[in-house]
Amino acid sequence: MQSGKSAAEVVATVKPFQIRGRSFTAVALHLTGRPDRAFFQALEARLNQTPLFFENAPLVIDLELADGLDSAEELMRLTAELRRRKLSVFGIQSGTPAQARAANEAGLISLPAGRDVALERVTRQGSRSVPATPAPAPKEPANRMITQPVRSGQTVFADRGDLVIVGSVSSGAEVIAAGNIHIYGRLRGRALAGVNGDTSARIFCHALDAELLAIAGLYRTSENLGADTPRQYVQVYLQGEVLRIESLK
């Protein structure tokens, strides 16, 4: 402490910190049994198909159908094996109370169950009614334009509007928008539109060779794109809970 200054004066010079919300896409690994040798062999085969897609991606372990895994030791072993394969495990979901306690001991967080389709819309009712508070006025959309290719490993996010990419999106890259995504080039990486729940959002691209397409939480991967999927000048949109891919007319 500097001489001549009180503790209160020194503390007052420290800048306050900021806490901000941040959305991101996490991969959910659904276990249907014990993670044995066959499991890891199948996992490695899947990772080898699109290695950059999963590398260092945030990952949560879904335990809804898992067999056991209710001890910290088991979860720590599984986490170590997954991280050794460059999967960034940070938590579990759909676990029992015992699994949640084990996850906490293993240094993981416990999350509520998620969905692989449209974003969950859950209304929780308590024992008494609580008056609803008015929603804050929405911020004005802020579209974002990128005038160069998005390289592997890069993530570009337009959190309040559309995202326009004048160039290609490489394999292993990720482009995310609250609104629509326009790609004036080839899409090889991941494109996630309407990430705040906007089911009317669309993805447009000149050439489609994507690792993943998602709108409002409903997604399709490259393995789900059939031979008859249009590849040139396409649009991707939601129709109910079906992700449609069509040629631009």
Side-chain angles (χ1 to χ4, degrees):
M1 183 183 300
Q2 299 177 8
S3 60
K5 290 187 177 182
S6 66
E9 289 175 325
V10 174
V11 172
T13 64
V14 178
K15 283 188 176 182
F17 60 83
Q18 293 182 333
I19 298 177
R20 295 184 178 181
R22 181 61 62 94
S23 61
F24 62 91
T25 303
V27 177
L29 177 63
H30 293 257
L31 301 183
T32 56
R34 283 192 173 274
D36 53 15
R37 181 177 179 182
F39 163 81
F40 286 111
Q41 288 177 340
L43 177 62
E44 288 178 354
R46 179 66 180 85
L47 294 177
N48 288 334
Q49 291 176 359
T50 52
L52 293 177
F53 176 80
F54 295 99
E55 185 172 351
N56 297 321
L59 183 139
V60 59
I61 305 170
D62 190 292
L63 298 178
E64 183 177 8
L65 302 177
D67 182 16
L69 290 176
D70 52 6
S71 72
E73 291 76 13
E74 288 179 294
L75 285 175
M76 289 174 68
R77 283 195 297 270
L78 174 58
T79 299
E81 288 293 334
L82 294 175
R83 288 175 177 168
R84 190 168 65 83
R85 292 165 173 82
K86 297 184 179 181
L87 297 174
S88 301
V89 185
F90 69 93
I92 68 163
Q93 69 177 23
S94 307
T96 64
Q99 289 170 330
R101 288 192 296 270
N104 183 62
E105 294 178 23
L108 303 173
I109 64 174
S110 181
L111 301 170
R115 291 180 63 191
D116 293 335
V117 291
L119 294 178
E120 187 97 40
R121 295 170 178 85
V122 179
T123 301
R124 298 185 183 276
Q125 297 180 345
S127 56
R128 59 186 180 89
S129 60
V130 179
T133 57
K139 295 181 180 180
E140 289 295 321
N143 300 330
R144 185 176 181 187
M145 178 180 289
I146 304 297
T147 58
Q148 57 190 9
V150 183
R151 304 299 184 189
S152 179
Q154 289 183 310
T155 296
V156 179
F157 187 20
D159 62 346
R160 291 193 289 117
D162 291 359
L163 176 60
V164 179
I165 307 291
V166 184
S168 60
V169 178
S170 298
S171 176
E174 187 173 64
V175 291
I176 309 170
N180 305 304
I181 296 177
H182 305 260
I183 301 172
Y184 295 97
R186 182 173 294 277
L187 169 60
R188 291 190 175 91
R190 294 168 281 185
L192 301 90
V195 293
N196 293 334
D198 183 1
T199 56
S200 67
R202 297 194 177 207
I203 300 169
F204 305 90
C205 67
H206 279 189
L208 178 66
D209 193 17
E211 294 171 336
L212 180 141
L213 299 165
I215 296 177
L218 193 150
Y219 67 86
R220 290 175 67 177
T221 62
S222 58
E223 289 79 11
N224 304 129
L225 302 181
D228 58 343
T229 301
R231 298 288 179 168
Q232 301 294 322
Y233 298 99
V234 301
Q235 63 172 330
V236 184
Y237 64 94
L238 280 183
Q239 188 174 69
E241 289 198 344
V242 178
L243 200 66
R244 301 284 188 187
I245 303 173
E246 293 183 354
S247 298
L248 288 169
K249 299 177 181 178

